[in-house]
């Protein structure tokens, strides 16, 4: 039969969903093997290979009937459609093209951007963005028999948001394993409000834990997450997280958790075993942790603002609630990732809170801040709050002059000035002004660089209250000053030599991919650094931080650095006119540095010689890095005592990597017990860690970790992990064991749904 082709120009709004009104004038084209018309072209029928398309969007079927006056389109047989990146299939369908509604039977929608399949016995299109379905399913897996799916009696799909499902059942292959009366599933990447998947866990101290989060997309710059975090032994912990990003250089993240704890740690027997020897109690039941960070920038004035907030109810909270999405580890990781700033460790009894404003000019920087340190030892009546000696810096101003040339002279000037008021509940309070300018004059020639510099530190204390000061101090003088100078001399030079190894490979088609080490450069950098600070009596001055006691110093440090750099030339494809070419690559594959110091003051020391002999030479530091390529990486620091004739400290880390196959690492940290005049180390430490990751089986990963205290001959931590990655899901098994805890974790992550387990 002769093929007849008829092109009809049809202008209507949309066919399936996400209609762009800017295309309203673009015509649709209808093609088929055979076309017939009825009632004066009011009804057009298309048979065999029906193809309706406009730009990249199309619709195919075995049969189509179009009512041109009402824009009603009926389709039957092998229906396939593509629209703005999404696909639709079915057996029978009807669409009102003018009003953008319709239905399809035995249909399937594939949302390509999220890789989600929706199927249903009957799918109805309510508007340009919304479908409903009956007896449908949802999955992110390819194939006729998906590894997992969610079947539902009915539901609603918003292709720019999420799908709601009634009576959903999670199925693994053909078996139902989980039921819920209602579920919300994300469909698009746009932020949408709704419940997130729960986090589940168990601990012997707090029982079964279920954390159910609700996400609220407030607007494009703000969102919040509300947590209902239930512990079977402790009660309900409620939480709130608020995030906002008003501009490119301004962002904030704030978190608050609160728990009315059923338990108290007010007797030694009621405390967890690992806390029983710390001598502290907790009798409060209202427990909370408020933390947050903020970065702000005012472009018109040039000021940068930062806020670090960390306020917790008691000294046990962060150590007890360390894991989970509301725990310490998660908050710390989020702050480091989003702001690049850490918070105090969970074991720290001092929680630091800072508000700062900073402004930079060409050669000057100004930083103003308030620093409040919360001492947890003085909470819950462990220590009296009236005797809290914790120093607060309220306020603090720092003015820095960056190194700059003084006119046409060879001199360079840099300076730092600080003004701070030290307030505390118990102890001396004072304001301190400290200024520290420094002059230097770099001398450079072909033999190297010599930089002598001299600085002067002038400090003024304005004391407004004396309290808890030793009686031998001069406490009658509320205005105290200190002035001292310091000298530094730095000298270094650089030498290098290049060694030829191999001739460069010939750039030809036969040699494509060939690579050779062709040259090695050996660079040597000897350096000496001398520091001098005179011995000035400072006992009469108050002590707030390390700047109030500047220790005398007369020390020479000398070092020798060696760097070996290889050049590798590889034959790579060139353009059509030149053909293959050479590409050079450089790598510092071996570094070794030796460093030692000589203390002139120690060499002249006359006191305590009967107990401690003079030892002016420091330990020799040997620092090595070996990195020949992507296979092996060795980092090593070793300190050797010339007096003890033994190693006093070392840190070793060896990493071996077989890309996409396996990796392994070995580390050893050792610290010898030392009793010297200049240093006191009372205990010996020796920690070994071994780990490996195996990926030689496609989609599988195996992890092993082992840490052991060699000094006490006991295991610190043991762990094993197995991870499997499928196209639409992953499963992780992890077991860790320490001296006080055993943790078993299984997590199942379903693509576009989230993670189950704990």
């Amino acid at each position: 039969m002769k093929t007849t082709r008829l092109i009809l120009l049809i202008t209507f709004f949309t066919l399936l969903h996400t209609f762009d009104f800017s295309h309203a004038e673009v015509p649709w084209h209808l093609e088929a093997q055979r076309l017939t018309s009825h009632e004066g072209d009011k009804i057009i029928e298309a048979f065999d290979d029906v193809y309706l398309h406009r730009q990249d969007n199309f619709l195919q079927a075995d049969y189509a009937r179009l009512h041109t006056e009402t824009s009603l389109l009926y389709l039957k047989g092998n229906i396939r459609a593509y629209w703005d990146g999404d696909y639709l299939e079915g057996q029978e369908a009807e669409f009102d093209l003018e009003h953008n509604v319709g239905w399809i039977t035995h249909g399937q929608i594939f949302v390509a951007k999220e890789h989600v399949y929706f199927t249903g016995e009957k799918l109805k299109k309510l508007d340009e963005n919304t479908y409903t379905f009956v007896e449908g399913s949802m999955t992110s897996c390819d194939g006729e028999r998906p590894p997992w799916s969610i079947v539902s009696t009915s539901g609603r799909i918003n292709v720019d948001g999420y799908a709601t499902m009634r009576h959903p059942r999670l199925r693994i292959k053909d078996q139902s394993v989980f039921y819920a009366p209602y579920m919300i599933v994300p469909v698009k990447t746009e932020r949408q409000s709704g419940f997130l998947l729960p986090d589940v866990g168990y601990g012997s101290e707090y029982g079964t834990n279920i954390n159910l989060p609700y996400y609220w997309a407030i607007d494009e710059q703000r969102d919040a997450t509300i947590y209902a975090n239930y512990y079977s032994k402790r009660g309900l912990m409620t939480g709130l997280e608020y995030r906002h990003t008003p501009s490119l250089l301004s962002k904030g993240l704030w978190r608050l958790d609160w728990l009315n704890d059923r338990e108290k740690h007010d007797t030694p027997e009621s405390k967890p075993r690992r806390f029983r020897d710390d001598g502290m109690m907790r009798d409060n039941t209202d427990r909370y942790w408020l933390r947050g960070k903020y970065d702000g920038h005012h472009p018109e004035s040039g000021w940068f603002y930062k806020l670090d907030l960390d306020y917790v109810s008691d000294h046990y909270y962060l150590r007890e609630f360390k894991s989970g999405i509301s725990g310490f580890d998660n908050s710390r990781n989020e702050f480091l990732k989003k702001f690049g700033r850490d918070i105090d460790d969970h074991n720290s009894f001092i929680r630091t809170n800072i508000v700062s404003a900073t402004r930079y000019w060409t050669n000057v920087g100004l930083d103003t801040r308030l620093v409040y340190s919360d001492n947890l030892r003085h909470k819950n009546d462990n220590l009296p709050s009236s005797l809290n000696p914790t120093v607060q810096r309220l306020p603090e101003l720092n003015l820095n002059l960056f190194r700059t040339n003084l006119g046409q002279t060879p001199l360079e000037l840099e300076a730092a000035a600080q003004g701070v008021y030290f307030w505390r509940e118990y102890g001396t309070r004072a304001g301190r002004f400290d200024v520290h300018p420094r002059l230097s004059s770099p001398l450079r020639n072909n033999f190297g660089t010599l930089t002598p510099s001299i600085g002067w530190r002038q400090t003024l204390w304005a004391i407004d209250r004396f309290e808890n000061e030793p009686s031998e101090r001069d406490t009658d003088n509320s205005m105290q000053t200190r002035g001292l100078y310091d000298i530094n001399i730095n000298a270094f030079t650089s030498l290098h030599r290049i060694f030829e190894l191999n001739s460069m490979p010939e750039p030809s088609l036969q040699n494509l991919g060939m690579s050779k080490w062709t040259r090695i450069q050996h660079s040597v950098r000897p350096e000496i650094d001398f520091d001098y600070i005179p011995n000035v009596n400072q006992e009469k001055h108050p002590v707030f931080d390390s700047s109030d006691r500047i220790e005398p110093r007369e020390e020479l440090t000398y070092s020798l650095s060696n760097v070996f750099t290889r050049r590798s030339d590889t034959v790579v494809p060139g353009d059509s006119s030149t053909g293959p070419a050479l590409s050079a690559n450089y790598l510092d594959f071996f570094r070794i540095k030796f460093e030692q110091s000589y203390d002139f003051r120690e060499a002249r020391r006359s006191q305590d010689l009967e107990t401690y002999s003079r030892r002016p030479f420091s330990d020799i530091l040997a620092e090595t890095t070996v990195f020949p390529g992507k296979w092996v990486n060795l980092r090593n620091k070793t300190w050797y005592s010339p007096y003890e004739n033994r190693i006093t400290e070392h840190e070793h880390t060896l990493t071996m990597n077989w890309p996409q196959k396996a990796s392994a690492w070995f580390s050893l940290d050792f610290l010898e017990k030392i009793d010297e005049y200049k240093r006191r180390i009372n205990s010996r430490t020796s920690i070994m860690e071994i780990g490996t990751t195996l990926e030689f089986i496609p989609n599988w990963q195996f992890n092993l970790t082992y840490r052991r205290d060699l000094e006490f001959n006991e295991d610190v931590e043991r762990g094993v992990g197995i991870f499997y990655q499928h196209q639409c899901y992953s499963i992780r098994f992890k077991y860790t064991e320490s001296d006080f805890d055993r943790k078993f974790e299984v997590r199942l992550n379903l693509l576009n749904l989230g993670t189950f387990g704990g």
Side-chain angles (χ1 to χ4, degrees), residues 351-527:
R351 315 306 303 179
T352 306
N353 301 265
I354 303 175
V355 180
S356 68
T358 307
R359 173 75 190 276
Y360 296 101
W361 293 269
T362 304
N363 294 315
V364 178
L366 174 64
D367 177 69
T368 64
R369 57 179 55 200
L370 302 173
V371 183
Y372 175 77
S373 299
D374 188 28
N375 192 334
L376 303 183
R377 295 182 184 273
H378 289 265
K379 290 189 173 182
N380 300 303
D381 297 325
N382 284 285
L383 293 174
S385 59
S386 60
L387 298 179
N388 188 349
T390 309
V391 173
Q392 316 298 341
R393 308 169 76 94
L394 306 170
E396 176 184 334
L397 287 83
N398 296 278
L399 181 65
N400 295 284
L401 174 65
F402 307 128
R403 184 177 297 182
T404 182
N405 288 95
L406 286 178
Q408 301 301 318
T409 70
L411 298 177
E412 295 180 345
L413 174 66
E414 59 182 320
Q418 183 187 79
V420 57
Y421 181 77
F422 297 101
W423 183 93
R424 52 187 169 189
E425 186 71 30
Y426 177 70
T428 297
R429 302 177 186 174
R432 187 186 71 196
F433 178 74
D434 184 86
V435 60
H436 189 193
R438 174 175 293 277
L439 277 175
S440 59
S441 179
L443 306 174
R444 302 179 179 90
N445 56 37
N446 294 332
F447 298 99
T449 301
L450 174 67
T451 306
S453 64
I454 183 170
W456 178 265
R457 180 187 289 270
Q458 185 66 48
T459 309
L460 169 67
W461 289 269
I463 304 171
D464 59 8
R465 187 183 78 174
F466 290 98
E467 188 174 68
N468 193 32
E469 293 289 344
S471 58
E472 62 270 15
R473 291 186 184 170
D474 180 11
T475 57
D476 294 332
N477 186 3
S478 61
M479 298 294 293
Q480 300 182 13
T481 61
R482 177 192 63 187
L484 55 87
Y485 66 92
D486 59 272
I487 297 173
N488 176 266
I489 301 175
N490 178 271
F492 69 90
T493 187
S494 296
L495 307 170
H496 70 272
R497 182 179 177 183
I498 297 177
F499 300 90
E500 300 285 345
L501 295 181
N502 299 299
S503 59
M504 296 182 182
E506 180 183 353
S508 62
L509 292 175
Q510 294 79 7
N511 293 335
L512 280 177
M514 179 183 292
S515 181
K516 289 183 179 181
W517 285 28
T518 55
R519 296 174 185 175
I520 289 181
Q521 175 179 282
H522 178 205
S523 302
V524 180
R525 178 185 168 112
E527 183 175 0

Side-chain angles (χ1 to χ4, degrees), residues 635 650-656 663-670 685-693 703-711 714-719 734 736:
R635 300 181 184 275
H650 56 194
E651 302 171 2
H652 308 290
T653 302
L654 173 65
T655 304
M656 295 170 288
S663 64
W665 66 92
F666 170 84
S667 69
L668 181 62
D669 294 338
F670 172 82
T685 302
S686 183
I687 302 294
M688 179 187 68
E689 180 174 350
I690 302 173
T692 183
T693 299
N703 300 283
L704 296 171
T705 57
Y706 178 69
R707 295 182 69 231
R708 184 172 181 80
D709 190 327
L710 301 179
E711 184 62 26
E714 62 183 18
D715 294 343
V716 177
E717 182 180 9
R718 297 179 296 272
K734 187 178 180 181
T736 56

Side-chain angles (χ1 to χ4, degrees), residues 56-96:
D56 294 333
N57 300 319
F58 68 85
L59 188 147
Q60 293 177 316
D62 293 338
Y63 169 80
R65 182 174 65 243
L66 176 65
H67 297 260
T68 57
E69 288 186 342
T70 61
S71 297
L72 188 66
L73 177 67
Y74 173 78
L75 304 168
K76 188 174 182 180
N78 299 313
I79 301 171
R80 294 180 63 248
Y82 174 84
W83 192 272
D84 289 344
D86 297 334
Y87 295 85
L88 186 146
E89 297 179 357
Q91 290 300 316
E92 187 177 8
E94 187 175 73
F95 293 102
D96 185 336

Side-chain angles (χ1 to χ4, degrees), residues 92-109:
E92 187 177 8
E94 187 175 73
F95 293 102
D96 185 336
L97 301 177
E98 181 177 354
H99 298 94
N100 194 30
V101 296
W103 53 265
I104 187 169
T105 61
H106 301 287
Q108 180 185 83
I109 303 171

